[in-house]
Amino acid sequence: MQFPAEPFKIKVVEPIKKTTRDQRDHLIRKAGFNVFNLPAESIYVDLLTDSGTSAMSDNQWAGIMIGDESYAGSKSYFNFERSIKSIFGFKHIIPTHQGRSAENLLFSITLTSGDIVPNNIHFDTTRANVLHKHGKPIDLVIDEAMDPDCEHPFKGNMDTTKLQTFLNETEPDRVPLVMMTVTNNSAGGQPVSMENIRQVRAICQKHQRPFYIDACRFAENCYFIKERESGYADRSILEIARELFSYADGCTMSAKKDGLVNIGGFLAMNDDALAEKAANLLILVEGFPTYGGLAGRDLEAVARGLQEVLDEDYLAFRVGQIRYLGEMLDQAGVPFVKPVGGHAIFLNAKDFLPHIPRHQFPGQALTVALYREAGIRAVEIGGLMFGEKDEKNHQEKYPELELVRLAVPRRVYTSTHMNYVAESIIEIYKNRDRIKGLRLMYEAPLLRHFTARMEELD
Ligand code: F0G
């Protein structure tokens, strides 16, 4: 097991609090057994998300100081545009305040009611934005993605046979675009291969459908291509990224991930007419096209973050740190999705807590245990997040996988924190029989996991 040494030193520190088990027991009860309701101050290691939680570099902070706050034509916008074009290569760069607003713009200008959008797996906000425009999101990921133990090197790949069949059987006008999410967050942060991107591109060309990439974790994906795909070992991450985006017509991006910033995103595309529509809508909902819902200083931080994320020492550390956590858990037999993805470990709660039935939310019960025993915050991606009532028999339907995601913020925690997380989880695993199931007491009609309140069962 290789201890990944940090390729940076610490210039500013943010104290984190240690609490007692009694304090955490009190707090989690008060929070209705939902970690979204906890005060962040009471958390020791926060692995709720890797989005917007990165630590910025001294160079990014320096950029913040010289951000140009001009309403129109800001110097920082041109730096932002230049930085993005140097990697992504698209003709039009439209700044947004985060990823979901780029998705909203894209689907607002391309989708009409009843249209269908294929993706390997839509992230929640992408799915919700398609639905919001009365479209239908469909997921065509390879079957291996649904098997937590399958060690496929590119488990995020699109099933090209399924895509081909879908496009053969569907009226082309009903498919405004085909999308691919890299890395594939919902399947465990799993990468997509260049070969798969190339094939999807060829299928899209054959059917004359535009091809867009959800690029949030593109640098992590490119690092996996370099490591695992033949022919890429000697190529730089920048070269790999340029090739990857050369196959697409555009992308949506949440810079809160591989942009290494706390807020920011963009929509990019080559189509002139579509870009004009996007910019006009942007003015209405986000802001003028040279700031799009961001401050000039934010644009400057994104411009710099996108260059830093291409650094191979950084990526080796980033991917290595998560792999290291995975290896420690694996040695103790803790069940999680294999192989380890780019931004998170996804614990397999069904196997972790086989004594808790699905209707008692084993994934959520595990997030409660992680917080109560160790002050670690993770997120359930299972029956609470995706469970829904069957329209016919009103029974709850559960998603196939019941996972708990430990998403690691970028450049925030040291590998010693990872040791702490691994040791805590291994201890919890040894005492897993003591963990109890939960019952739902309150649920909102949509996205219930954010605000649900629960009760612990005896
Ligand atoms: N696409 C993917 C693959 C994502 O993971 C996210 C966000 C988005 C789009 C939306 O970006 O948050 O900037 O609007 N994922 C976060 C997460 C929230 O925790 O995985 P956003």
Side-chain angles (χ1 to χ4, degrees):
M1 203 181 319
Q2 209 181 348
F3 185 88
E6 290 74 10
F8 48 80
K9 57 184 177 176
I10 296 165
K11 191 177 300 220
V12 176
V13 294
E14 177 183 347
I16 44 178
K17 246 197 332 213
K18 287 200 164 178
T19 48
T20 63
R21 189 185 186 281
D22 277 353
Q23 287 168 328
R24 293 192 297 268
D25 181 58
H26 170 74
L27 286 164
I28 195 71
R29 288 175 190 280
K30 207 170 136 192
F33 296 94
N34 184 348
V35 294
F36 281 101
N37 295 333
L38 287 170
E41 238 192 349
S42 72
I43 290 150
Y44 182 55
V45 180
D46 199 348
L47 306 180
L48 185 69
T49 179
D50 63 322
S51 178
T53 51
S54 300
M56 290 203 290
S57 66
D58 50 0
N59 180 46
Q60 285 176 292
W61 280 107
I64 294 252
M65 283 308 293
I66 58 162
D68 174 0
E69 303 304 339
S70 305
Y71 188 95
S74 153
K75 185 173 78 188
S76 298
Y77 171 75
F78 294 114
N79 290 342
F80 174 87
E81 188 189 37
R82 198 176 312 116
S83 175
I84 294 167
K85 282 191 173 173
S86 75
I87 303 165
F88 296 78
F90 298 117
K91 197 166 163 198
H92 303 282
I93 311 297
I94 295 147
T96 61
H97 80 275
Q98 61 185 86
R100 66 197 71 181
S101 39
E103 293 161 6
N104 187 276
L105 287 175
L106 177 64
F107 296 130
S108 296
I109 58 179
T110 55
L111 238 78
T112 50
S113 180
D115 283 355
I116 309 172
V117 180
N119 201 324
N120 43 0
I121 304 186
H122 288 82
F123 180 68
D124 326 2
T125 58
T126 327
R127 178 184 315 279
N129 270 302
V130 172
L131 289 169
H132 183 62
K133 296 290 157 204
H134 307 286
K136 188 177 165 206
I138 57 162
D139 296 338
L140 302 178
V141 74
I142 55 170
D143 292 341
E144 286 88 337
M146 289 302 140
D147 175 1
D149 301 313
C150 171
E151 295 262 4
H152 192 293
F154 291 103
K155 228 174 158 178
N157 280 354
M158 181 89 88
D159 186 323
T160 48
T161 312
K162 284 186 204 163
L163 179 65
Q164 186 73 261
T165 311
F166 165 76
L167 289 172
N168 284 340
E169 290 170 355
T170 313
E171 195 67 40
D173 289 354
R174 294 275 72 169
V175 188
L177 55 97
V178 173
M179 212 161 182
M180 284 274 267
T181 306
V182 307
T183 58
N184 194 349
N185 185 4
S186 313
Q190 301 293 337
V192 172
S193 71
M194 192 73 87
E195 190 192 3
N196 191 246
I197 296 263
R198 234 181 268 124
Q199 287 166 347
V200 170
R201 161 71 175 177
I203 296 170
C204 288
Q205 269 181 334
K206 187 174 138 206
H207 292 267
Q208 297 186 326
R209 298 295 84 205
F211 174 36
Y212 277 72
I213 291 177
D214 175 340
C216 299
R217 299 179 179 84
F218 77 97
E220 289 162 11
N221 198 99
C222 290
Y223 187 77
F224 282 118
I225 289 177
K226 187 177 168 90
E227 263 196 332
R228 297 181 184 169
E229 193 162 349
S230 86
Y232 289 94
D234 298 327
R235 306 268 299 274
S236 71
I237 300 297
L238 176 62
E239 286 169 332
I240 298 172
R242 281 182 177 157
E243 182 184 340
L244 192 148
F245 292 109
S246 75
Y247 299 125
D249 298 295
C251 75
T252 56
M253 172 76 184
S254 166
K256 297 172 75 173
K257 285 86 169 169
D258 274 350
L260 298 175
V261 291
N262 306 118
I263 197 76
F266 58 87
L267 170 65
M269 56 184 60
N270 289 328
D271 185 318
D272 297 336
L274 212 54
E276 192 179 316
K277 276 192 191 168
N280 286 334
L281 185 57
L282 184 83
I283 295 174
L284 188 70
V285 296
E286 288 269 291
F288 190 74
T290 61
Y291 72 86
L294 291 167
R297 62 179 87 94
D298 298 327
L299 297 166
E300 199 65 51
V302 174
R304 294 169 187 225
L306 285 171
Q307 299 298 321
E308 288 175 17
V309 83
L310 303 173
D311 174 35
E312 256 169 65
D313 286 341
Y314 157 75
L315 284 168
F317 165 72
R318 163 74 179 155
V319 171
Q321 189 182 45
I322 294 156
R323 194 172 295 157
Y324 171 67
L325 173 60
E327 283 169 3
M328 287 187 284
L329 296 174
D330 202 30
Q331 281 188 358
V334 175
F336 61 88
V337 175
K338 309 277 174 51
V340 172
H343 68 297
I345 297 283
F346 290 69
L347 297 174
N348 181 351
K350 261 198 235 171
D351 289 358
F352 200 115
L353 300 173
H355 63 286
I356 302 184
R358 289 305 288 281
H359 69 274
Q360 292 181 12
F361 303 102
Q364 188 68 6
L366 184 51
T367 65
V368 169
L370 289 171
Y371 177 69
R372 187 152 51 191
E373 304 307 326
I376 298 166
R377 179 158 67 170
V379 67
E380 187 256 21
I381 304 185
L384 182 62
M385 190 180 272
F386 293 124
E388 53 189 8
K389 291 258 187 305
D390 189 292
E391 278 169 21
K392 286 186 210 117
N393 63 13
H394 300 287
Q395 294 278 320
E396 277 270 314
K397 275 195 308 194
Y398 299 105
E400 192 157 326
L401 301 176
E402 179 80 13
L403 305 174
V404 169
R405 186 182 75 171
L406 306 160
V408 182
R410 294 170 182 77
R411 305 192 293 206
V412 170
Y413 294 113
T414 64
S415 298
T416 313
H417 285 113
M418 296 302 113
N419 291 350
Y420 171 81
V421 171
E423 281 164 17
S424 306
I425 293 175
I426 292 165
E427 198 54 35
I428 292 168
Y429 187 59
K430 285 183 190 151
N431 297 300
R432 58 192 180 277
D433 295 351
R434 289 190 214 153
I435 299 175
K436 296 171 186 166
L438 299 164
R439 175 168 52 211
L440 252 177
M441 303 302 287
Y442 163 75
E443 64 178 304
L446 279 173
L447 298 170
R448 65 180 183 180
H449 56 288
F450 288 123
T451 52
R453 295 194 69 83
M454 318 201 62
E455 194 176 69
E456 202 168 40
L457 295 158
D458 267 326

